[in-house]
C-alpha cells in the first residue's frame, strides 16, 4: 500500500474515532444539548474558516464579505426547506445544496467585476457587498406588495417569507452527525483542490500575480473559481446555521461577523487549513469558557488576540499543515 493511501486511512480512522467518542458522550448525556449546540457551531465555523482561507490564504485575495455569502446561503436554504416542508437529513442536504448554489451564484456576480481588481479594492467591494445584502434582507419583504390574483404574487410570497427585519423562523434540521460529516467533506474537498494543479495555480497567483499571468495562468479564471468555491461552502455553512438556531435575521450576518471570520483565518495562519481548524475551535469555545468572568470576558479575549499577533504574527501554524505522517516519521527517527 502506498504511504499516501495509508495516511488517508489513518486520518479517516482518527476522524471516525472522534465522531464515535462525541456520539457516545452525547448519547450518555455527558454532553447536554448546550454542548451539542457548541459542537455544531464549531463545525460550522470550521467550514467558514477553511472556505475563507481558500480565497484569503491560498488565493491571496483580501475578502471582507464572507458573512454575506453565508447570509445568502442561510436564507436560500431556509426558504427552500420551508417551501417543500423538508424533514430529516435528506431534506437538510437538499437545502444545503440550494443554499450553497445560491451563494455560489452571488459569488460569481460579485466576483466577476471585483476580482479583476487587486489589493485593497477587492476588500472594499466585498465589504460593500455585506451592506448591500444586509439592506436587501432587511427590506426584501417590502419590495413587492401585490394582490393575491397578480401573476407576481408567488414571487411576492417568496420575498415575504424572509420576514425582513422581523426575521425568519426555521425548523431545526441540523444534527451533530450532519454538521460533522459536512465539515469533513468540506475540508477534504478543499485540501484536494489545493493539492491539485488548480490549487497550485491559485498559490502561484498569491505569490506573484504578474509572474503567474506571464507563465500562462489565467488569473481572472482562477480568482473567480476560488472565490465561487469559497462562497459555495460559506452558503452551505449558512444553511447549517439557519437550521440550527431556529431563527435568523439579517443582523446575524453583519460586517463584524465577517471580521471575526477573518480573525480566525489570520490567527490560524493564512494558507494553513490545520491552523484555520484549530483557531475556529479555540475562538468558538473560548468566549464560552470565559462566560463566568462576564465583566472581564471581552477584555481577556482581546488581550489573547493581541498577544497572539505579537508573538506569532504569521498565525498559529503559519503556512504549515499538521501531519500525522510527519509525527510518525519523527517518532520512528527518535526511536532509531
Amino acid at each position: 500500500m502506498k504511504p499516501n493511501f495509508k495516511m488517508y486511512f489513518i486520518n479517516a480512522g482518527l476522524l471516525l474515532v472522534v465522531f464515535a467518542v462525541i456520539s457516545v458522550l452525547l448519547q450518555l448525556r455527558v454532553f447536554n444539548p448546550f454542548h451539542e449546540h457548541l459542537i455544531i457551531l464549531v463545525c460550522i465555523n470550521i467550514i467558514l474558516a477553511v472556505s475563507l482561507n481558500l480565497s484569503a490564504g491560498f488565493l491571496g485575495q483580501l475578502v471582507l464579505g464572507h458573512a454575506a455569502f453565508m447570509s445568502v446561503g442561510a436564507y436560500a436554504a431556509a426558504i427552500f426547506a420551508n417551501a417543500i416542508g423538508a424533514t430529516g437529513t435528506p431534506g437538510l442536504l437538499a437545502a444545503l445544496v440550494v443554499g450553497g448554489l445560491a451563494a455560489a451564484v452571488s459569488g460569481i456576480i460579485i466576483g466577476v467585476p471585483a476580482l479583476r481588481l487587486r489589493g485593497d479594492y477587492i476588500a472594499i467591494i466585498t465589504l460593500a457587498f455585506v451592506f448591500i445584502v444586509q439592506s436587501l434582507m432587511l427590506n426584501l419583504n417590502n419590495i413587492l406588495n401585490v394582490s393575491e390574483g397578480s401573476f407576481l404574487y408567488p414571487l411576492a410570497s417568496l420575498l415575504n417569507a424572509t420576514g425582513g427585519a422581523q426575521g425568519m423562523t426555521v425548523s431545526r434540521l441540523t444534527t451533530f452527525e450532519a454538521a460533522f460529516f459536512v465539515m469533513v467533506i468540506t475540508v477534504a474537498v478543499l485540501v484536494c483542490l489545493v493539492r491539485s494543479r488548480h490549487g497550485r495555480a491559485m498559490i502561484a497567483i498569491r505569490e506573484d500575480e504578474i509572474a503567474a499571468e506571464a507563465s500562462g495562468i489565467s488569473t481572472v479564471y482562477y480568482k473567480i473559481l476560488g472565490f465561487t468555491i469559497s462562497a459555495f461552502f460559506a452558503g452551505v455553512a449558512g444553511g447549517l446555521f439557519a437550521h440550527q438556531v431556529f431563527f435568523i435575521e439579517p443582523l446575524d450576518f453583519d460586517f463584524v461577523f465577517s471580521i471575526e471570520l477573518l480573525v480566525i483565518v489570520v490567527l490560524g495562519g493564512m494558507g494553513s487549513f490545520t491552523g484555520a481548524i484549530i483557531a475556529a475551535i479555540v475562538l468558538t469555545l473560548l468566549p464560552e469558557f470565559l462566560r463566568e468572568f462576564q465583566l472581564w470576558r471581552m477584555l481577556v479575549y482581546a488581550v489573547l488576540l493581541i498577544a497572539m499577533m505579537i508573538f506569532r504574527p504569521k498565525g498559529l501554524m503559519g503556512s504549515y499543515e499538521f501531519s500525522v505522517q510527519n509525527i510518525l516519521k519523527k517518532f520512528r527517527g527518535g526511536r532509531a
Side-chain angles (χ1 to χ4, degrees):
M1 182 180 294
K2 294 183 179 181
N4 286 339
F5 288 103
K6 183 178 180 180
M7 295 314 304
Y8 293 154
F9 283 116
I10 291 176
N11 292 334
L14 291 175
L15 289 172
L16 290 177
V17 169
V18 172
F19 173 77
V21 169
I22 297 177
S23 297
V24 170
L25 293 177
L26 289 172
Q27 291 178 0
L28 295 177
R29 302 298 182 182
V30 177
F31 286 166
N32 57 37
F34 175 71
H35 295 141
E36 182 180 6
H37 174 71
L38 282 181
I39 293 171
I40 293 175
L41 286 183
V42 167
C43 294
I44 293 172
N45 284 339
I46 288 175
I47 296 173
L48 291 169
V50 296
S51 60
L52 178 58
N53 208 357
L54 176 65
S55 56
F58 291 95
L59 191 57
Q61 308 301 314
L62 183 58
V63 178
L64 297 179
H66 211 54
F69 301 122
M70 182 185 179
S71 173
V72 172
Y75 274 95
I79 292 173
F80 175 79
N82 289 346
I84 68 170
T87 58
T89 301
L92 173 65
L93 295 179
L96 295 184
V97 172
V98 171
L101 291 176
V105 171
S106 65
I108 295 174
I109 293 173
I110 190 66
V112 170
L115 294 177
R116 294 180 180 274
L117 305 175
R118 298 179 182 178
D120 299 336
Y121 298 104
I122 297 176
I124 295 173
I125 290 179
T126 54
L127 174 61
F129 183 60
V130 175
F131 295 111
I132 291 172
V133 171
Q134 191 175 44
S135 298
L136 285 175
M137 294 304 178
L138 285 170
N139 301 285
L140 205 57
N141 61 331
N142 296 322
I143 292 179
L144 284 180
N145 292 315
V146 297
S147 61
E148 187 173 348
S150 173
F151 72 97
L152 291 176
Y153 181 75
L155 178 60
S157 300
L158 184 64
L159 297 179
N160 290 333
T162 63
Q166 296 179 354
M168 180 180 182
T169 302
V170 187
S171 59
R172 184 179 181 185
L173 299 177
T174 301
T175 61
F176 161 68
E177 294 80 7
F180 183 86
F181 284 109
V182 170
M183 179 266 294
V184 170
I185 292 173
T186 300
V187 174
V189 169
L190 293 179
V191 169
C192 292
L193 173 65
V194 168
R195 292 182 177 179
S196 68
R197 65 183 183 88
H198 302 291
R200 298 301 178 188
M202 294 178 189
I203 295 175
I205 294 172
R206 179 194 67 186
E207 297 299 327
D208 193 327
E209 186 172 343
I210 297 176
E213 193 168 7
S215 300
I217 297 175
S218 177
T219 57
V220 174
Y221 168 77
Y222 281 108
K223 281 183 179 181
I224 296 176
L225 176 65
F227 200 69
T228 304
I229 295 175
S230 176
F232 173 83
F233 286 111
V236 170
L240 286 172
F241 178 79
H243 290 94
Q244 169 62 18
V245 298
F246 304 105
F247 180 82
I248 56 174
E249 57 180 342
L251 297 179
D252 291 333
F253 314 98
D254 58 2
F255 165 66
V256 175
F257 187 64
S258 288
I259 296 300
E260 290 177 358
L261 295 176
L262 186 61
V263 167
I264 291 176
V265 174
V266 172
L267 289 182
M270 303 282 279
S272 172
F273 286 130
T274 307
I277 292 172
I278 295 174
I281 295 173
V282 172
L283 294 185
T284 303
L285 299 180
L286 184 60
E288 300 303 326
F289 289 145
L290 296 175
R291 189 173 292 277
E292 296 180 1
F293 309 97
Q294 187 65 30
L295 296 177
W296 302 95
R297 183 165 62 97
M298 295 308 298
L299 177 61
V300 174
Y301 183 58
V303 169
L304 290 175
L305 294 179
I306 294 173
M308 186 68 185
M309 288 294 92
I310 292 175
F311 296 104
R312 294 285 296 181
K314 291 186 178 181
L316 181 65
M317 298 293 291
S319 58
Y320 297 100
E321 300 286 0
F322 174 82
S323 173
V324 178
Q325 184 177 8
N326 292 338
I327 293 177
L328 292 176
K329 285 182 179 179
K330 290 181 180 180
F331 178 73
R332 291 170 183 170
R335 292 185 59 183

